[in-house]
Amino acid sequence: MNIALLLEMAAGAAPDRIALVCDGKRWSYAELWQAAQGAAELIRASGASHVALLDESSEAALIALFGAGLAGVPYCPLNYRLADADLGALLGRIAPAVVVGDVARVQRLADGQGHVPYPRSEFTLAALEAVASPDAEHDSGEGIAIQLFTSGTTAAPKAAILAHSNLVSYILGTVEFAAAEEHEATLVSVPPYHIAGIAALASSIYAQRRIVLLPAFAPEDWLKLVEAERVTNAFVVPTMLGRIIHALEKGVRADIASLQAVAYGGGKMPLELIGQALDRFPDCAFTNAYGLTETSSTVALLGPDEHRAAHAASDPVVRARLASVGKPLPTIELEIRGEDGKVLPTGQVGEIYVRGDQVSGQYRERSALDADGWFPTRDAGYLDADGYLFLAGRADDVIVRGGENISPGEIEDLLLTHPAIADCAAVAVPSLEWGEAVGLAVVVRGGCETPAEQELKEMVRARLRSSRVPEVVRFVPSLPYNEMGKLLRREVKGLLAR
Amino acid sequence: MKPGSRLKSAACSSEVVVIKYSGGTIECGGLPMAEDAAGDGSPAAGFAEGTMMGKRYIDAAATVELLCVKPGKGSLSLDGVALTTKDAKPLPASD
């Protein structure tokens, strides 16, 4: 089934209802559906093999997504923050493409590759004006809906592909059609090239929850928009939540009483921060969503009641769940496997495997699925006795010291309880004796005295075990993160190698 | 019948998209559905409960799954046996 049917249904059921708000402009479901059909005409006529977005979020992202779907061409939103050389390489991998957004950059980096570039406003206008022939043969939706280049924090970007059927089964399995009430609005501030941004568009369209776009995140603007649009729902990455709370603490004023639910994901949520958020917004429903590009977004989540129960609990097991990503969705299967491929018992760290209709696990170049359709996420984690999933970093980030697997997370979580440590990262450093050993980069909290190296080593030795004691400790002003709040461990290794 | 096929009712305005199919005759209002059905008939007794927009319909053995994309007065069946709705398991708006 073609993903564009999600928009067609919404437009059929509520043509005049407002679907999307961006830069003060309001779009109804009928207008967006008309534009998507027009965009499909433009895309078909261009002969392009992909439809790329090289732009911040706007209505054009939604029109391009569904227009590409109708035309049967993969939609490929690109990270406009990439350096020229990296972006040029990606453009070369999707040529010839209809590219919406930064025309000058396309011409500068990928001239002569046959791309058809459109500035955002021209694309939207042309899509609205292109008259869709009434007997246009829309694509049946058996192929690829989306191609996303993974963020490549550990290697060169891979081209992950999602079939129409992956995304549709995710939406149909988790969203009730037209379930949102007319006053509901969701604030989307994640970039359009992130799977969370795409899933937010598709699920909000199907639920008929008004989408409010914030193309460039700034905490003051986010708060202003919540007030102005009476926003009820929002998705943020942890860094954004931290900045929002910080802005409120600094005295930024906004009436955000309309806000009922905040979902977060995309990076590790510091325990202290979610605790602050729960205290500051006592009536807000928090949801932690864990998912990957290759799984069409969410595969596990910690719901609002579980957040409150964990936050209020005195039982340490229940309390610990605030640091979990909750339970797997009922529509997917999830296993923790060891290096030998065998399923591990409760509590043991291994690699997270998932299977289900929403799971693609396909790249342009190859399939990552095993013979039985399981997808190895390359994320490390474990399940507790009640089935809550805890993440333990990327499987590639595991430090192998003399044959012993060490998860960076356990060391980092411990050290973050030190009052003078604002942030820290544990990575593998080369060791003559052990092959790899623990290296530690530490950011000291403002106004605190730098703790002695020996003190930190002793803390690890006492609370964990001697193999976890860092061999190298370096104090740094800040740690490198990408714009989604993902720690760039490769760069941390670079910091420690110096 | 391929997944993604769109079927119209001969008995009412209902339209469905096939999500899953492995055999049998898909009917609405007691009449076989088809890609080019006119929808000008009327539902037979016992098959006039109506279809609901956005609902998924399955048979007891889950061999067939249909998504209603346009509602109507007829109700859906497979080889004369009524289909039932399959509910989404809504997430607390996670994205």
Side-chain angles (χ1 to χ4, degrees):
Chain A
M1 183 183 129
N2 196 306
I3 52 162
L5 196 62
L6 306 174
L7 176 58
E8 184 185 351
M9 288 170 71
D16 300 326
R17 193 157 146 178
I18 296 303
L20 184 143
V21 183
C22 183
D23 290 332
K25 238 191 125 194
R26 311 176 93 75
W27 297 77
S28 69
Y29 288 100
E31 284 171 314
L32 291 177
W33 173 234
Q34 189 200 330
Q37 292 176 90
E41 294 286 322
L42 301 178
I43 295 160
R44 269 191 287 258
S46 75
S49 65
H50 294 78
V51 175
L53 183 81
L54 185 58
D55 197 7
E56 294 179 339
S57 278
S58 76
E59 63 283 351
L62 194 138
I63 294 165
L65 164 68
F66 290 115
L70 286 172
V73 172
Y75 170 64
C76 181
L78 297 170
N79 183 350
Y80 46 82
R81 291 189 176 93
L82 288 176
D84 279 356
D86 298 331
L87 182 63
L90 297 189
L91 282 166
R93 287 166 71 178
I94 57 167
V98 167
V99 188
V100 180
D102 194 339
V103 170
R105 213 164 165 217
V106 176
Q107 285 165 345
R108 184 159 53 81
L109 297 177
D111 205 22
Q113 292 179 353
H115 294 301
V116 183
Y118 279 99
R120 179 201 297 180
S121 55
E122 267 179 39
F123 172 76
T124 306
L125 201 63
L128 278 171
E129 283 175 352
V131 181
S133 48
D135 52 348
E137 270 290 308
H138 290 321
D139 184 78
S140 64
E142 287 164 85
I144 300 167
I146 287 159
Q147 176 173 329
L148 277 180
F149 290 104
T150 58
S151 54
T153 48
T154 51
K158 284 181 290 197
I161 51 180
L162 295 176
H164 286 273
S165 61
N166 296 136
L167 206 61
V168 165
S169 72
Y170 171 64
I171 299 296
L172 295 185
T174 59
V175 183
E176 197 69 58
F177 178 70
E181 290 179 46
E182 191 132 13
H183 74 277
E184 291 184 35
T186 189
L187 180 47
V188 179
S189 46
V190 285
Y193 53 80
H194 193 275
I195 184 62
I198 295 173
L201 296 183
S203 53
S204 304
I205 288 287
Y206 198 62
Q208 286 181 11
R209 185 175 292 113
R210 182 161 44 96
I211 298 163
V212 178
L213 292 179
L214 178 60
F217 177 82
E220 298 79 10
D221 296 339
W222 191 93
L223 288 163
K224 251 188 260 169
L225 209 47
V226 170
E227 174 172 328
E229 289 291 334
R230 314 297 304 146
V231 164
T232 54
N233 298 64
F235 180 88
V236 291
V237 298
T239 323
M240 292 175 182
L241 187 61
R243 292 178 61 193
I244 291 161
I245 290 179
H246 187 63
L248 289 169
E249 277 169 359
K250 271 184 15 199
V252 175
R253 296 176 89 114
D255 174 7
I256 55 168
S258 59
L259 196 63
Q260 295 165 358
V262 171
Y264 61 90
K268 192 179 163 78
M269 171 64 85
L271 254 186
E272 187 185 331
L273 177 56
I274 188 61
Q276 274 178 2
L278 286 161
D279 290 335
R280 183 169 266 279
F281 307 111
D283 300 320
C284 190
F286 284 91
T287 299
N288 183 1
Y290 162 66
L292 297 91
T293 303
E294 295 90 333
T295 61
S296 310
S297 193
T298 308
V299 290
L301 58 81
L302 186 74
D305 296 342
E306 294 162 312
H307 271 83
R308 294 291 166 193
H311 191 47
S314 46
D315 178 347
V317 174
V318 179
R319 204 166 167 77
R321 282 181 196 148
L322 207 46
S324 80
V325 293
K327 290 185 174 182
L329 302 188
T331 44
I332 73 138
E333 298 170 90
L334 187 145
E335 285 179 0
I336 308 293
R337 298 192 192 172
E339 263 175 37
D340 57 1
K342 295 221 172 72
V343 177
L344 294 175
T346 296
Q348 281 198 28
V349 175
E351 184 172 354
I352 301 168
Y353 278 67
V354 289
R355 182 164 73 171
D357 290 339
Q358 74 182 68
V359 177
S360 155
Q362 310 282 329
Y363 302 100
R364 264 289 173 206
E365 300 76 17
R366 64 182 182 95
S367 168
L369 300 182
D370 73 8
D372 300 318
W374 288 90
F375 172 63
T377 61
R378 303 304 293 147
D379 277 339
Y382 66 93
L383 291 163
D384 76 4
D386 294 305
Y388 286 84
L389 177 65
F390 290 76
L391 302 183
R394 293 292 286 172
D396 307 306
D397 298 336
V398 168
I399 303 160
V400 187
R401 182 182 182 274
E404 188 181 354
N405 288 354
I406 300 171
S407 157
E410 58 175 327
I411 302 166
E412 292 161 3
D413 289 346
L414 170 68
L415 288 167
L416 284 171
T417 63
H418 191 293
I421 295 182
D423 202 0
C424 70
V427 296
V429 290
S431 160
L432 274 181
E433 191 178 0
W434 303 102
E436 285 180 354
V438 177
L440 190 69
V442 179
V443 180
V444 178
R445 195 179 293 282
C448 292
E449 212 165 297
T450 301
E453 218 179 289
Q454 201 51 40
E455 180 194 342
L456 300 183
K457 288 183 175 174
E458 273 314 312
M459 184 178 175
V460 174
R461 191 188 318 276
R463 300 279 297 278
L464 300 172
R465 52 211 275 199
S466 60
S467 61
R468 270 68 173 166
V469 173
E471 225 162 76
V472 180
V473 179
R474 195 143 296 164
F475 295 93
V476 294
S478 65
L479 292 176
Y481 288 93
N482 75 6
E483 72 286 353
M484 289 298 291
K486 265 192 193 159
L487 180 66
L488 301 170
R489 289 184 187 271
R490 260 185 317 181
E491 294 188 16
V492 177
K493 284 183 186 174
L495 291 175
L496 292 176
R498 259 186 253 147
Chain B
M1 189 92 51
K2 281 194 302 193
S5 302
R6 192 156 172 162
L7 302 177
K8 293 181 177 171
S9 172
C12 67
S13 56
S14 294
E15 286 183 28
V16 300
V17 167
V18 178
I19 306 282
K20 188 175 165 193
Y21 177 78
S22 40
T25 304
I26 297 171
E27 303 131 344
C28 178
L31 300 170
M33 297 186 83
E35 294 192 5
D36 54 358
D40 51 2
S42 52
F47 296 100
E49 305 281 304
T51 53
M52 279 185 293
M53 177 80 168
K55 282 288 176 198
R56 287 180 295 164
Y57 291 85
I58 51 170
D59 62 325
T63 62
V64 168
E65 182 173 335
L66 308 172
L67 173 68
C68 174
V69 296
K70 219 174 147 191
K73 292 195 176 117
S75 46
L76 301 169
S77 53
L78 178 72
D79 294 330
V81 181
L83 301 182
T84 55
T85 58
K86 174 185 181 183
D87 292 324
K89 300 191 172 77
L91 303 184
S94 68
D95 44 36

Coordinates of all heavy atoms in Angstrom, one line a residue, chain B residues 27-90:
Chain B
E27 N -16.2 -9.7 -0.3 CA -17.5 -9.1 -0.6 C -17.8 -7.9 0.3 O -17.3 -7.8 1.4 CB -18.6 -10.1 -0.4 CG -18.4 -11.4 -1.2 CD -18.5 -12.7 -0.3 OE1 -18.5 -12.6 0.9 OE2 -18.7 -13.8 -0.9
C28 N -18.7 -7.0 -0.2 CA -19.2 -5.9 0.6 C -20.7 -5.9 0.3 O -21.2 -6.0 -0.8 CB -18.6 -4.6 0.2 SG -19.3 -3.2 1.1
G29 N -21.5 -5.8 1.4 CA -23.0 -5.9 1.2 C -23.4 -7.2 0.6 O -24.5 -7.2 0.0
G30 N -22.6 -8.2 0.7 CA -23.0 -9.5 0.2 C -22.6 -9.7 -1.2 O -22.7 -10.9 -1.8
L31 N -22.1 -8.7 -1.9 CA -21.7 -8.8 -3.3 C -20.2 -8.8 -3.5 O -19.5 -8.1 -2.7 CB -22.3 -7.7 -4.1 CG -23.8 -7.6 -4.1 CD1 -24.3 -6.3 -4.8 CD2 -24.4 -8.8 -4.9
P32 N -19.6 -9.5 -4.4 CA -18.1 -9.4 -4.6 C -17.7 -8.0 -4.9 O -18.3 -7.3 -5.6 CB -17.9 -10.3 -5.9 CG -19.1 -11.2 -6.0 CD -20.3 -10.4 -5.4
M33 N -16.5 -7.7 -4.3 CA -15.9 -6.3 -4.6 C -15.0 -6.4 -5.8 O -14.5 -7.5 -6.1 CB -15.1 -5.9 -3.4 CG -15.9 -5.7 -2.1 SD -15.0 -4.9 -0.8 CE -15.1 -3.2 -1.2
A34 N -14.9 -5.3 -6.5 CA -14.0 -5.3 -7.7 C -13.4 -4.0 -7.9 O -13.9 -3.0 -7.3 CB -14.8 -5.7 -8.9
E35 N -12.3 -3.9 -8.6 CA -11.6 -2.6 -8.8 C -12.5 -1.6 -9.6 O -12.4 -0.4 -9.4 CB -10.3 -2.8 -9.6 CG -9.3 -3.6 -8.7 CD -7.9 -3.6 -9.3 OE1 -7.6 -2.9 -10.3 OE2 -7.1 -4.4 -8.7
D36 N -13.4 -2.1 -10.4 CA -14.3 -1.2 -11.2 C -15.8 -1.4 -10.8 O -16.6 -1.1 -11.7 CB -14.1 -1.5 -12.6 CG -14.3 -3.0 -13.0 OD1 -14.6 -3.8 -12.0 OD2 -14.1 -3.4 -14.2
A37 N -16.1 -1.8 -9.6 CA -17.5 -2.0 -9.3 C -18.2 -0.6 -9.2 O -17.5 0.4 -8.8 CB -17.6 -2.7 -7.9
A38 N -19.5 -0.6 -9.5 CA -20.2 0.7 -9.7 C -20.7 1.2 -8.3 O -20.9 2.4 -8.2 CB -21.3 0.6 -10.7
G39 N -21.0 0.4 -7.4 CA -21.5 0.8 -6.1 C -22.9 1.3 -6.1 O -23.3 2.0 -5.2
D40 N -23.7 0.9 -7.1 CA -25.0 1.4 -7.2 C -26.1 0.4 -6.7 O -27.3 0.6 -6.8 CB -25.3 1.8 -8.6 CG -25.0 0.7 -9.7 OD1 -24.5 -0.3 -9.2 OD2 -25.2 1.0 -10.9
G41 N -25.6 -0.8 -6.2 CA -26.6 -1.8 -5.7 C -27.0 -1.4 -4.3 O -26.8 -0.3 -3.8
S42 N -27.6 -2.4 -3.6 CA -27.9 -2.1 -2.2 C -27.5 -3.4 -1.4 O -27.5 -4.5 -1.9 CB -29.3 -1.8 -2.0 OG -30.1 -2.8 -2.6
P43 N -27.0 -3.1 -0.1 CA -26.5 -4.3 0.7 C -27.6 -5.3 1.0 O -28.7 -4.9 1.2 CB -26.0 -3.6 1.9 CG -25.9 -2.1 1.6 CD -26.9 -1.9 0.6
A44 N -27.2 -6.6 0.9 CA -28.1 -7.6 1.3 C -28.3 -7.7 2.8 O -27.5 -7.2 3.5 CB -27.5 -9.0 0.8
A45 N -29.5 -8.2 3.2 CA -29.8 -8.3 4.6 C -28.7 -9.1 5.2 O -28.1 -10.1 4.7 CB -31.1 -9.1 4.8
G46 N -28.3 -8.7 6.4 CA -27.2 -9.4 7.1 C -25.8 -8.9 6.8 O -24.8 -9.2 7.4
F47 N -25.7 -8.1 5.7 CA -24.4 -7.5 5.3 C -24.6 -6.0 5.2 O -24.1 -5.4 4.2 CB -23.9 -8.1 4.0 CG -23.6 -9.6 4.2 CD1 -24.5 -10.6 3.7 CD2 -22.4 -10.0 4.8 CE1 -24.2 -11.9 3.9 CE2 -22.1 -11.4 4.9 CZ -23.0 -12.3 4.5
A48 N -25.3 -5.4 6.1 CA -25.6 -4.0 6.0 C -25.3 -3.2 7.3 O -25.9 -2.3 7.7 CB -27.1 -3.8 5.6
E49 N -24.2 -3.7 7.9 CA -23.8 -3.0 9.2 C -23.0 -1.7 8.9 O -22.8 -0.9 9.8 CB -22.9 -4.0 10.0 CG -23.5 -5.3 10.3 CD -24.5 -5.3 11.4 OE1 -24.1 -4.8 12.5 OE2 -25.6 -5.6 11.2
G50 N -22.5 -1.6 7.7 CA -21.7 -0.4 7.4 C -20.2 -0.7 7.6 O -19.8 -1.5 8.4
T51 N -19.4 0.1 6.8 CA -17.9 0.1 7.0 C -17.5 1.4 7.6 O -18.1 2.4 7.4 CB -17.2 -0.1 5.7 OG1 -17.6 0.9 4.8 CG2 -17.5 -1.5 5.1
M52 N -16.4 1.3 8.3 CA -15.9 2.6 9.0 C -14.5 2.9 8.4 O -13.6 2.1 8.4 CB -15.8 2.3 10.5 CG -17.1 2.5 11.2 SD -16.9 2.4 13.0 CE -16.4 0.7 13.2
M53 N -14.4 4.2 8.0 CA -13.2 4.8 7.5 C -12.0 4.5 8.4 O -12.1 4.8 9.6 CB -13.4 6.3 7.4 CG -12.3 7.1 6.9 SD -12.2 6.9 5.1 CE -11.0 8.2 4.7
G54 N -10.9 4.1 7.9 CA -9.7 3.9 8.6 C -9.6 2.7 9.5 O -8.6 2.4 10.2
K55 N -10.7 1.9 9.4 CA -10.7 0.6 10.2 C -10.1 -0.5 9.4 O -10.3 -0.6 8.1 CB -12.1 0.2 10.6 CG -12.6 1.0 11.8 CD -11.9 0.6 13.1 CE -12.3 1.5 14.3 NZ -11.4 1.4 15.4
R56 N -9.4 -1.4 10.0 CA -8.8 -2.6 9.3 C -9.8 -3.8 9.6 O -10.3 -3.9 10.8 CB -7.4 -2.9 9.8 CG -6.4 -1.9 9.2 CD -5.0 -2.2 9.7 NE -4.9 -2.1 11.2 CZ -3.9 -2.6 11.9 NH1 -2.9 -3.3 11.3 NH2 -3.8 -2.4 13.2
Y57 N -10.0 -4.6 8.6 CA -10.9 -5.7 8.8 C -10.2 -7.0 8.5 O -9.4 -7.1 7.5 CB -12.1 -5.6 7.8 CG -13.0 -4.4 8.2 CD1 -12.7 -3.1 7.8 CD2 -14.1 -4.6 9.0 CE1 -13.6 -2.0 8.1 CE2 -15.0 -3.6 9.4 CZ -14.7 -2.3 8.9 OH -15.5 -1.2 9.3
I58 N -10.4 -8.0 9.3 CA -9.7 -9.3 9.1 C -10.7 -10.5 9.3 O -11.8 -10.3 9.9 CB -8.6 -9.5 10.1 CG1 -9.1 -9.2 11.6 CG2 -7.4 -8.7 9.8 CD1 -8.1 -9.6 12.6
D59 N -10.4 -11.6 8.8 CA -11.1 -12.8 9.0 C -10.6 -13.5 10.3 O -9.5 -13.1 10.8 CB -11.1 -13.8 7.8 CG -9.7 -14.2 7.5 OD1 -8.8 -13.5 7.7 OD2 -9.5 -15.4 7.1
A60 N -11.3 -14.5 10.8 CA -10.9 -15.2 12.0 C -9.5 -15.8 11.9 O -8.7 -15.7 12.9 CB -11.9 -16.3 12.4
A61 N -9.1 -16.3 10.8 CA -7.8 -16.9 10.7 C -6.7 -15.9 10.2 O -5.6 -16.3 10.0 CB -7.9 -18.1 9.7
A62 N -7.1 -14.6 10.1 CA -6.2 -13.6 9.6 C -5.5 -13.9 8.3 O -4.3 -13.7 8.1 CB -5.1 -13.3 10.7
T63 N -6.3 -14.5 7.4 CA -5.7 -14.7 6.0 C -5.9 -13.5 5.1 O -5.2 -13.3 4.1 CB -6.4 -15.9 5.3 OG1 -7.8 -15.6 5.2 CG2 -6.2 -17.2 6.2
V64 N -6.9 -12.6 5.5 CA -7.2 -11.4 4.8 C -7.2 -10.2 5.7 O -7.7 -10.3 6.8 CB -8.6 -11.6 4.1 CG1 -9.1 -10.3 3.5 CG2 -8.5 -12.7 3.0
E65 N -6.6 -9.1 5.2 CA -6.7 -7.9 5.9 C -7.0 -6.7 5.0 O -6.4 -6.6 3.9 CB -5.4 -7.6 6.7 CG -5.5 -6.3 7.5 CD -4.3 -6.1 8.4 OE1 -3.6 -7.1 8.8 OE2 -4.0 -5.0 8.7
L66 N -8.1 -6.0 5.3 CA -8.5 -4.9 4.4 C -8.5 -3.6 5.2 O -8.8 -3.6 6.4 CB -9.9 -5.1 3.9 CG -10.2 -6.5 3.2 CD1 -11.7 -6.7 2.9 CD2 -9.4 -6.6 1.9
L67 N -8.2 -2.5 4.5 CA -8.3 -1.2 5.2 C -9.4 -0.4 4.5 O -9.3 -0.2 3.3 CB -6.9 -0.4 5.0 CG -6.9 1.0 5.5 CD1 -7.1 1.1 7.0 CD2 -5.6 1.7 5.1
C68 N -10.3 0.0 5.2 CA -11.4 0.8 4.7 C -10.9 2.2 4.4 O -10.5 2.9 5.3 CB -12.6 0.8 5.6 SG -13.9 1.9 5.0
V69 N -11.0 2.7 3.1 CA -10.5 4.0 2.8 C -11.7 4.9 2.4 O -11.5 6.1 2.1 CB -9.4 4.0 1.7 CG1 -8.2 3.3 2.2 CG2 -9.9 3.4 0.4
K70 N -12.9 4.3 2.3 CA -14.1 5.1 2.0 C -15.2 4.3 2.7 O -15.4 3.1 2.4 CB -14.3 5.3 0.5 CG -14.8 6.6 0.1 CD -14.8 6.8 -1.4 CE -16.0 7.7 -1.7 NZ -16.3 7.7 -3.1
P71 N -16.0 5.0 3.5 CA -17.1 4.2 4.2 C -18.3 4.0 3.4 O -18.5 4.7 2.3 CB -17.4 5.1 5.4 CG -17.0 6.5 5.0 CD -15.9 6.4 3.9
G72 N -19.2 3.1 3.8 CA -20.4 2.9 3.1 C -21.4 2.1 4.0 O -21.1 1.8 5.1
K73 N -22.5 1.7 3.4 CA -23.6 1.1 4.2 C -23.4 -0.4 4.3 O -24.0 -1.1 5.2 CB -24.9 1.4 3.6 CG -25.3 2.9 3.7 CD -26.8 3.0 3.4 CE -27.3 4.4 3.6 NZ -27.8 5.1 2.4
G74 N -22.7 -1.0 3.3 CA -22.5 -2.5 3.3 C -21.5 -2.9 4.4 O -20.8 -2.1 4.9
S75 N -21.5 -4.2 4.7 CA -20.4 -4.7 5.6 C -19.6 -5.8 4.8 O -20.1 -6.4 3.9 CB -20.9 -5.2 6.9 OG -22.1 -6.0 6.8
L76 N -18.4 -6.0 5.3 CA -17.4 -6.8 4.6 C -17.5 -8.2 5.0 O -17.7 -8.6 6.1 CB -16.0 -6.2 4.8 CG -15.8 -4.7 4.4 CD1 -14.5 -4.2 5.0 CD2 -15.9 -4.6 2.9
S77 N -17.2 -9.1 4.0 CA -17.2 -10.5 4.3 C -16.2 -11.2 3.3 O -15.8 -10.7 2.3 CB -18.6 -11.1 4.1 OG -19.1 -10.8 2.9
L78 N -15.8 -12.4 3.7 CA -14.9 -13.2 2.9 C -15.7 -14.6 2.7 O -15.9 -15.3 3.7 CB -13.6 -13.5 3.6 CG -12.6 -14.4 2.9 CD1 -12.0 -13.7 1.7 CD2 -11.5 -14.9 3.8
D79 N -16.0 -14.9 1.5 CA -16.8 -16.1 1.2 C -18.0 -16.2 2.0 O -18.3 -17.3 2.6 CB -15.9 -17.3 1.3 CG -14.8 -17.4 0.3 OD1 -14.9 -16.8 -0.8 OD2 -13.7 -17.9 0.6
G80 N -18.7 -15.1 2.3 CA -19.9 -15.1 3.0 C -19.8 -15.0 4.5 O -20.8 -14.9 5.2
V81 N -18.6 -15.0 5.0 CA -18.4 -14.9 6.5 C -17.9 -13.5 6.8 O -16.9 -13.0 6.3 CB -17.3 -16.0 7.0 CG1 -17.1 -15.9 8.5 CG2 -17.7 -17.4 6.5
A82 N -18.7 -12.9 7.8 CA -18.4 -11.5 8.1 C -17.0 -11.3 8.6 O -16.5 -12.1 9.4 CB -19.4 -11.0 9.1
L83 N -16.3 -10.2 8.2 CA -15.0 -9.8 8.7 C -15.2 -9.0 10.0 O -16.3 -8.4 10.2 CB -14.2 -9.0 7.7 CG -14.0 -9.7 6.3 CD1 -13.1 -8.8 5.4 CD2 -13.3 -11.1 6.6
T84 N -14.2 -9.0 10.8 CA -14.3 -8.1 12.1 C -13.2 -7.1 12.0 O -12.2 -7.2 11.3 CB -14.1 -9.0 13.3 OG1 -12.9 -9.7 13.2 CG2 -15.3 -10.0 13.5
T85 N -13.3 -6.1 12.9 CA -12.3 -5.0 12.9 C -11.1 -5.4 13.7 O -11.2 -6.2 14.7 CB -12.8 -3.7 13.4 OG1 -13.3 -3.9 14.8 CG2 -14.0 -3.2 12.6
K86 N -10.0 -4.9 13.3 CA -8.7 -5.1 14.0 C -8.2 -3.8 14.5 O -8.0 -2.9 13.7 CB -7.7 -5.7 13.0 CG -6.3 -5.9 13.5 CD -5.4 -6.4 12.4 CE -3.9 -6.6 13.0 NZ -3.0 -7.0 11.9
D87 N -8.1 -3.6 15.8 CA -7.7 -2.3 16.3 C -6.2 -2.1 16.2 O -5.4 -3.0 16.4 CB -8.2 -2.2 17.7 CG -9.7 -2.1 17.8 OD1 -10.3 -1.5 16.8 OD2 -10.3 -2.7 18.7
A88 N -5.8 -0.8 16.0 CA -4.4 -0.5 16.2 C -4.1 -0.5 17.7 O -5.0 -0.5 18.5 CB -4.2 1.0 15.6
K89 N -2.9 -0.6 18.0 CA -2.5 -0.5 19.4 C -1.8 0.8 19.6 O -0.6 1.0 19.5 CB -1.5 -1.7 19.8 CG -2.2 -3.0 19.6 CD -1.3 -4.1 20.2 CE -2.1 -5.5 20.2 NZ -2.1 -6.1 18.8
P90 N -2.7 1.8 19.8 CA -2.2 3.2 19.7 C -1.0 3.4 20.7 O -1.1 3.0 21.8 CB -3.4 4.1 20.1 CG -4.5 3.2 19.9 CD -4.1 1.8 20.2

